[in-house]
Amino acid sequence: MPLISIDIKSGTLAQTENSTVKEVIVGIDLGTTNSLVAYINNQTQEAVALKDAGGSNKLVPSVIHFTPDGGILVGNEAKKMLIEQPQNTIYSVKRLMGKSYTDVQQYAGFFGYKIIDDDTESLVKIKVNNRFYTPIELSALILKALKQRAEQALQQTVTKAVITVPAYFNDAQRQATRDAGKLAGLDVLRIVNEPTAASLAYGIGLNPDDGRTIAVYDLGGGTFDISVLRIENGVFEVLSTNGDTFLGGDDFDRTIINYWLEMNGLTPDALHNNKSMGQQLRLLAEEAKMALSTAQNWQGMAGNLPCSLTRTQFETLIEPIVQRTITCCRQALADAKLTPAQIDEVVLVGGSTRVPMVKKAVEQFFNRRPHDELNPDEVVALGAAVQADILAGNNKDMLLLDVTPLSLGIETMGGLMDVIIARNTKIPAKAGRQYTTHVDGQSDMRISVYQGERDLVKDNRKLGEFSLKGIPAMPAGLPKVEIAFIIDADGILRVRAKELRSGVEQSIEVTPQYGLTEEEMAKMLLESIQHAEADRQVRALQEAINEAENLTATAEKFVTQNTAMLTPEEIDQTLLLVQDLRSVLQSGNKDLIHQRIETLNNFTRPFAERVMDVAIAKAMRGTKI
Ligand code: AMP
């Protein structure tokens, strides 16, 4: 609670902090290989990554080890167990977040631990010591370790955090990350895109009047991401993403090992039966690579194998790998419909961007010096801390927003997609629309939620489904069901359905079973463009059928309810025209359906008006109708 005091100099009331320490919101980079936690130092206003209790390491390896006696180790201690006890040591859990076995089966061999494959459609589980863990539980263990580190370093309880995720993470993966935070005892105030955080760390976008286009090049140990962002008026929009989920510094190490084996007249097979030699070479290759980021030569011994490397040799070895990243950059720019000259800033992220040749290749491609002033391992966490500080209200003018990558909507009659929140809408967002029933006395309404750009829901992706039950019996068309879509700042969708006359209400948080990959998302967008014309025709036909079905039902009902006020010819002819219209519903001919709708409407309009006039006259006399 702030204390109210009187400023004796000005004589006015002033608020002062009471003696309790101000709550800190931390920024967390939950990485595939390493994780970090950072905060903004109140005194210096600088973002700082927090070190371990020994005061040396900032990086926490994203590794968890389960000891035989039920203990759990996280970070460096766990990493040491990777070689000895791979089956009880979990790494790269981020690759499994929000994924089903079907999503990951093609690279299941990459993991040294057991991924359960008995229920392919639901989220993956990992088996360790006869217990099953979800990637969410495992990520929560890493987050807990980061929370503890922050509490120890800052000497206060930490309960609030901002966590970063790759820009291409879909709803399921973001939700999984948020749940992991919750499980670790953290209130996750915001999920932020990693490239957005990296830009923020450099202060790009912090001036609300500034519009910038930014390329964030992120080359880590095992993954490569390139993201093109646009920031305008405090709104970050991801224009495109590209990359390779199995490309990084580890590949540099592998080419070095193969080169050394070749120099010593050996083949990679030589390591199959000699695991310790393999491990030794891996460590030496990484050491050589890192040394060559500043030195020109490196020499060492792996057992009795002499190993040496010059920077020129190293650059020749890795040239094809670096070129693969540049190809991704080219594609990302093409997708964003931009040329390198239209990029205002380039930001380097990830330990492998320390390699001088990587920097040079990026600079050459974008024809611009990339930002490398900050530590590339820390830049995402530092940016997350900047975002956390904004949320803490310390930089009140800034409001950072994202946009939805794909449209969100519901299925309406005939399998049509009715978009409620369009693609590229700024989030948080809220939108709603009213619907009604098709059948008299209908008490349930099924609401199916989809994501995608196609006109028919069958071509889009289903996110979830629920039923609004207990609608009181009313004639078709009378209930007013309002469907509201609410997307929070993390891109998580909640759907609420409410029948407005009765107040019956139902809602769900849409947490899809398994998520979209970046490629799938791109494919969905591409397909929506390719099929635009065909989709429009299908939609127009389906809309005509829907209208015809509604009209025939209404006309029949009208005739039965108002027999007394109609002539026999009017009744017979109406029913005949209803039949005529029904007979062409399956014809696939939209114009013919429209024609018959018009004929039926034209025929019934005069006597429908007559019946209405009588009803109104009665009502005016106070007679109940
Ligand atoms: P990250 O996933 O961002 O933590 O990056 C880890 C990768 O960066 C690993 O492949 C490291 O070997 C590599 N790395 C770290 N420091 C250097 C350096 N000084 N020179 C070259 N590569 C480095």
Side-chain angles (χ1 to χ4, degrees), residues 33-34 59 219-221 249-250 253 286 289-290 293 350-352 354-355 377:
T33 326
N34 292 305
L59 298 181
L219 188 63
D250 299 348
D253 304 347
E286 190 175 17
K289 170 185 76 176
M290 290 182 175
S293 286
S352 300
R354 288 201 185 90
V355 174
D377 292 321

Side-chain angles (χ1 to χ4, degrees), residues 513-529:
Q513 282 254 291
Y514 50 94
L516 278 181
T517 62
E518 189 188 354
E519 294 85 49
E520 282 171 323
M521 189 125 85
K523 192 166 149 250
M524 283 171 79
L525 286 175
L526 190 70
E527 281 177 355
S528 76
I529 297 163

Side-chain angles (χ1 to χ4, degrees), residues 29 31-36 59 218-223 248-253 285-294 314 349-356 358 375-378:
D29 171 7
T32 309
T33 326
N34 292 305
S35 297
L36 285 103
L59 298 181
D218 182 348
L219 188 63
T223 58
D250 299 348
D251 296 291
F252 295 173
D253 304 347
E286 190 175 17
E287 191 186 314
K289 170 185 76 176
M290 290 182 175
L292 291 175
S293 286
T294 44
F314 173 60
V349 180
S352 300
T353 61
R354 288 201 185 90
V355 174
V358 170
N375 182 332
D377 292 321
E378 296 176 15

Side-chain angles (χ1 to χ4, degrees), residues 77-310:
E77 295 300 303
K79 194 178 171 185
K80 288 182 196 148
M81 307 306 288
L82 261 179
I83 307 290
E84 263 172 65
Q85 294 192 34
Q87 70 285 6
N88 295 343
T89 310
I90 314 297
Y91 57 91
S92 271
V93 68
K94 186 171 175 180
R95 295 183 188 273
L96 303 174
M97 288 290 265
K99 298 276 179 99
S100 71
Y101 186 74
T102 320
D103 293 329
V104 297
Q105 66 183 355
Q106 79 270 25
Y107 55 87
F110 164 86
F111 303 96
Y113 44 88
K114 177 127 184 70
I115 299 177
I116 303 305
D117 56 358
D118 50 359
D119 186 1
T120 52
E121 288 307 302
S122 59
L123 294 173
V124 288
K125 284 204 174 66
I126 293 139
K127 191 176 174 195
V128 193
N129 292 342
N130 285 326
R131 255 207 69 182
F132 295 95
Y133 295 90
T134 63
I136 295 174
E137 289 171 295
L138 296 167
S139 296
L141 293 171
I142 301 170
L143 289 171
K144 241 186 225 165
L146 294 167
K147 178 177 185 290
Q148 275 166 9
R149 166 176 291 203
E151 289 179 337
Q152 193 165 38
L154 302 174
Q155 288 296 301
Q156 60 173 297
T157 313
V158 172
T159 58
K160 293 188 173 138
V162 165
I163 305 180
T164 58
V165 295
Y168 59 78
F169 254 30
N170 60 38
D171 287 354
Q173 292 165 301
R174 284 164 199 266
Q175 181 66 44
T177 307
R178 188 173 244 287
D179 288 347
K182 222 182 285 174
L183 209 57
L186 288 169
D187 182 6
V188 182
L189 300 185
R190 189 70 71 88
I191 298 284
V192 180
N193 288 330
E194 286 161 9
T196 302
S199 307
L200 283 175
Y202 279 106
I204 305 168
L206 283 179
N207 178 357
D209 305 326
D210 214 10
R212 322 282 295 151
T213 308
I214 313 147
V216 181
Y217 177 102
D218 182 348
L219 188 63
T223 58
F224 170 63
D225 292 312
I226 171 80
S227 312
V228 181
L229 310 175
R230 174 82 196 154
I231 173 137
E232 211 148 6
N233 306 319
V235 179
F236 272 98
E237 186 181 355
V238 179
L239 300 181
S240 65
T241 61
N242 206 294
D244 189 326
T245 46
F246 287 94
L247 179 71
D250 299 348
D251 296 291
F252 295 173
D253 304 347
R254 257 189 298 274
T255 56
I256 297 175
I257 296 170
N258 289 341
Y259 172 75
W260 284 341
L261 288 173
E262 205 183 311
M263 288 294 106
N264 286 285
L266 298 166
T267 64
D269 291 344
L271 301 180
H272 279 172
N273 298 323
N274 194 344
K275 282 229 162 79
S276 95
M277 178 70 163
Q279 178 58 7
Q280 217 176 343
L281 278 172
R282 233 187 313 276
L283 292 176
L284 274 189
E286 190 175 17
E287 191 186 314
K289 170 185 76 176
M290 290 182 175
L292 291 175
S293 286
T294 44
Q296 293 294 335
N297 298 292
W298 184 90
Q299 276 184 335
M301 293 289 283
N304 50 10
L305 278 192
C307 301
S308 68
L309 197 64
T310 66

